[in-house]
Amino acid sequence: MGFQNSIILTGIIVVLLHTMAGQAQDGGDFVTIPKGQYTVGKKGHVLNPFRRVRVDSFRIATRETTNAQFDAFIKATGYVTDAERKHDALVYKPVLQEFEWFNDSTASWRYPNGMIRGGIENKMAHPVTSISYSDILVYCRWAGVRLPSLDEWEIACRAGTTTDFSFGNDTALLSKYANTWHGKDHLMPDSTDGYLFTSPTGSFAPNAWGLYDMYGNVFEFCSGKLKAYPSPTVAHARGGSWWCSPNSCHFFNSYDIGRTNIHASFSNQGFRVVK
Amino acid sequence: MKPLYLFLLLCATTICSQAQDEGEAWKEPSKESRAYHTYRNYMSEPSYGKLKILGLLKKLTPDEDDNEKLKQSDYLSLTLREKFTYHMMHGESYSQNCDARPPIQDEHKKIFGRLPEMFGENNWSERQVQFLRSNKDSVMQWIKECVAKEKRLGLNLKHAIVDINAREMIPFLISTYKTDKKDHDILTVLMLLMKNNEYKEFMVSTSNKKLYGDEINSYDAFLNFNIPNEELIIKRATDFYNGLPK
């Protein structure tokens, strides 16, 4: 019996350790993801097939980078963003058809959807937007941080799950976790979840590892390339945004990987950092 | 020994289940499906000043900012027809962050709710769309001339028809479709015109609900291609056209 009991106990310990492996720890602004092997991707997804990946330990921000943080960077460096130089930020305004964006020459991170729709004075806790991937790399160098790789972002987003969302496969639960677009189309503004554009970071429920806004709010740029898009001018972002609706950009999930030009600035694109 | 047996069985089951998940291979679309994918992404190249436009596009080799927009002076020097050629061959603006769609199974057997993308990471800018809309009559004529020459209605021409809301072209679209009934995206254009104009008979239809309903991802949504669906779309579009103010 003693031998049997010790085997059973060993088995229980092994199962517990297996369950704990890969669970993030910490608290505060960053969460540590332990070194190890994780499952990413989705069966049948051409860009992101279901597979195992191994990563080193990394620390990922619990929230998306805010206007306040970007403001500190601008004040310290005097950096001028792509959209400010080129006056080509693309923004949302009501009555646009699906997938249409308005090129507002007044839009930049200070006025994410153009001057007429207001500045960020009262939105310093919102994620910074209307910045390009190219701008973000400069910010990261200044702040001593980096973007997550495509795999790191997904590992953090999934929080140990293999389902479409970290909370399972039920899209109806998304509104608890994410600031997305609830309207049928984009002809009329939609703020049924309390927000027309971005929300302050952390306004919705976190995933099991304490990470907020992994779905919705803003697309989050990642480092790394996909084989299908070797162009040096293409960057990849993940996680969906406030603009994304079930009827158009069905992108608020754990597996999709988007692509856009490294100098494109949209009012639904932002980032979170890793260190 | 029973508890140990159960524990080992649990582990074996877990491992087996993981192996099955990871071992499931991606199914490549059929040869017919892939051929139709290439077919439906064909882009027309209008002949008006085509060589001149190609020369200008070469000058657009991205600089450090990856500028993709023709200088205003160069743009203004183009004739209306040359501008049309330029717009059909080049998207000046950035596309939003969208993923590449996974390969579609049996693409040739489907009538989609939306058209494929045109220019990858780029799209038409506002000045380009504005030009097309402001010169709607001419654009419709140039599209017809282009189709007469190429015997195809390219993806860019289809997007232009939808963007300028060329519902006047419905008879032309139907006759073009009927030449070989191969290009199902022409049926998509007909449905987009009915949807965008909120044609009542279409708006209350099962097709509309299936393609553009509230709870589905309409970018991927499709109707099965079959004769009844084909005929129904053409009949509805014809009725819609006949009811337009003349």
Side-chain angles (χ1 to χ4, degrees):
Chain A
M1 284 297 287
F3 175 70
Q4 280 184 16
N5 284 340
S6 70
I7 289 178
I8 293 167
L9 183 62
T10 304
I12 291 170
I13 290 169
V14 168
V15 170
L16 282 174
L17 286 174
H18 179 74
T19 306
M20 289 168 68
Q23 279 192 348
Q25 295 155 22
D26 282 10
D29 296 338
F30 285 82
V31 164
T32 300
I33 312 294
K35 175 181 180 178
Q37 195 176 52
Y38 297 87
T39 302
V40 296
K42 182 177 171 70
K43 281 184 279 184
H45 198 295
V46 67
L47 293 178
N48 192 16
F50 192 75
R51 66 199 187 284
R52 290 274 197 181
V53 295
R54 181 172 288 280
V55 295
D56 287 331
S57 175
F58 61 97
R59 300 186 74 212
I60 187 164
T62 56
R63 297 172 187 240
E64 292 160 337
T65 302
T66 63
N67 284 320
Q69 290 168 309
F70 201 77
D71 184 55
F73 157 64
I74 296 294
K75 281 179 176 154
T77 63
Y79 178 77
V80 180
T81 61
D82 269 336
E84 288 170 301
R85 280 191 303 114
K86 298 162 68 179
H87 303 286
D88 66 353
L90 289 145
V91 309
Y92 168 75
K93 65 174 186 177
V95 312
L96 287 179
Q97 294 283 349
E98 297 302 353
F99 305 105
E100 282 187 6
W101 288 78
F102 177 63
N103 187 184
D104 190 326
S105 63
T106 70
S108 69
W109 71 277
R110 299 175 196 274
Y111 299 94
N113 283 280
M115 281 185 176
I116 199 169
R117 279 164 282 274
I120 57 170
E121 303 80 35
N122 299 315
K123 295 184 174 179
M124 298 309 280
H126 288 232
V128 61
T129 61
S130 293
I131 47 166
S132 70
Y133 179 83
S134 178
D135 297 327
I136 292 167
L137 294 186
V138 181
Y139 171 89
C140 285
R141 276 198 295 275
W142 171 79
V145 293
R146 65 175 175 86
L147 288 174
S149 69
L150 291 165
D151 286 345
E152 286 172 340
W153 185 93
E154 183 168 336
I155 289 163
C157 172
R158 288 188 172 281
T161 66
T162 57
T163 43
D164 287 354
F165 308 100
S166 60
F167 50 82
N169 287 319
D170 186 358
T171 311
L173 294 175
L174 189 67
S175 58
K176 180 182 171 188
Y177 296 88
N179 172 16
T180 61
W181 191 268
H182 295 265
K184 182 185 175 189
D185 53 38
H186 289 77
L187 298 177
M188 295 291 288
D190 171 71
S191 52
T192 50
D193 61 359
Y195 304 98
L196 172 56
F197 302 113
T198 55
S199 52
T201 62
S203 298
F204 293 78
N207 71 10
W209 289 356
L211 299 164
Y212 294 93
D213 299 305
M214 295 306 293
Y215 308 118
N217 218 11
V218 293
F219 275 115
E220 299 180 11
F221 277 110
C222 297
S223 64
K225 306 288 287 183
L226 291 172
K227 282 183 184 173
Y229 295 94
S231 166
T233 60
V234 172
H236 299 291
R238 312 191 63 171
S241 75
W242 58 264
W243 184 91
C244 298
S245 75
N247 280 357
S248 54
C249 180
H250 196 274
F251 216 99
F252 26 66
N253 56 55
S254 300
Y255 52 86
D256 269 319
I257 302 173
R259 85 284 188 215
T260 190
N261 187 285
I262 58 171
H263 293 293
S265 303
F266 283 80
S267 63
N268 68 338
Q269 290 182 179
F271 67 109
R272 86 174 60 221
V273 300
V274 160
K275 63 180 184 181
Chain B
M1 292 298 288
K2 193 175 177 184
L4 175 62
Y5 172 73
L6 284 174
F7 172 67
L8 291 174
L9 182 65
L10 176 67
C11 287
T13 308
T14 306
I15 292 165
C16 181
S17 150
Q18 283 183 353
Q20 280 180 343
D21 280 350
E22 291 167 35
E24 188 167 315
W26 168 243
K27 185 184 168 193
E28 193 67 28
S30 67
K31 188 178 171 185
E32 292 91 338
S33 184
R34 281 180 281 140
Y36 183 67
H37 179 80
T38 303
Y39 174 86
R40 70 191 288 247
N41 281 280
Y42 169 82
M43 298 280 277
S44 292
E45 291 192 355
S47 56
Y48 318 122
K50 183 177 164 184
L51 291 178
K52 179 180 176 180
I53 299 302
L54 284 172
L56 288 171
L57 289 177
K58 277 186 184 171
K59 283 169 61 179
L60 281 181
T61 303
D63 58 17
E64 60 178 12
D65 285 339
D66 301 312
N67 285 323
E68 294 289 351
K69 197 170 180 178
L70 205 57
K71 276 195 309 184
Q72 184 74 349
S73 54
D74 285 338
Y75 183 75
L76 292 176
S77 73
L78 300 176
T79 65
L80 288 180
R81 286 170 185 262
E82 287 169 347
K83 283 192 177 100
F84 174 71
T85 300
Y86 170 66
H87 298 328
M88 289 306 114
M89 295 173 72
H90 182 71
E92 290 183 332
S93 188
Y94 298 123
S95 278
Q96 72 170 101
N97 183 48
C98 267
D99 68 344
R101 314 309 298 179
I104 303 165
Q105 303 295 332
D106 294 329
E107 197 162 343
H108 56 303
K109 296 178 181 176
K110 297 175 178 176
I111 307 168
F112 293 92
R114 294 192 182 277
L115 297 170
E117 294 173 349
M118 280 184 294
F119 299 117
E121 285 70 53
N122 277 28
N123 207 342
W124 280 325
S125 67
E126 282 162 48
R127 80 170 174 182
Q128 291 183 294
V129 172
Q130 195 54 45
F131 170 87
L132 296 172
R133 289 177 183 167
S134 301
N135 296 279
K136 180 176 175 179
D137 288 345
S138 299
V139 169
M140 290 194 295
Q141 184 56 37
W142 297 330
I143 289 173
K144 287 179 180 176
E145 290 173 9
C146 208
V147 172
K149 188 170 183 182
E150 295 185 350
K151 310 298 179 197
R152 286 289 310 275
L153 183 67
L155 175 58
N156 43 357
L157 302 185
K158 294 188 187 96
H159 273 282
I161 289 169
V162 174
D163 273 10
I164 65 175
N165 192 29
R167 52 194 195 177
E168 301 90 335
M169 295 186 78
I170 286 174
F172 172 78
L173 287 167
I174 293 172
S175 66
T176 302
Y177 174 73
K178 286 184 174 175
T179 55
D180 59 8
K181 297 192 173 187
K182 191 176 170 187
D183 189 350
H184 305 163
D185 280 341
I186 294 178
L187 301 174
T188 301
V189 173
L190 293 174
M191 290 192 290
L192 285 170
L193 289 171
M194 288 191 280
K195 171 185 171 286
N196 291 347
N197 288 279
E198 298 187 345
Y199 174 52
K200 188 180 172 187
E201 297 304 313
F202 181 72
M203 298 309 278
V204 300
S205 68
T206 305
S207 302
N208 178 57
K209 189 174 179 184
K210 186 168 183 184
L211 295 174
Y212 313 107
D214 286 340
E215 300 300 328
I216 48 105
N217 176 9
S218 62
Y219 202 91
D220 290 330
F222 65 90
L223 304 176
N224 291 323
F225 176 74
N226 54 44
I227 301 298
N229 277 341
E230 174 193 63
E231 289 180 345
L232 185 60
I233 294 167
I234 290 173
K235 181 185 182 308
R236 279 197 181 125
T238 303
D239 292 344
F240 167 54
Y241 174 79
N242 288 336
L244 291 174
K246 296 292 188 286

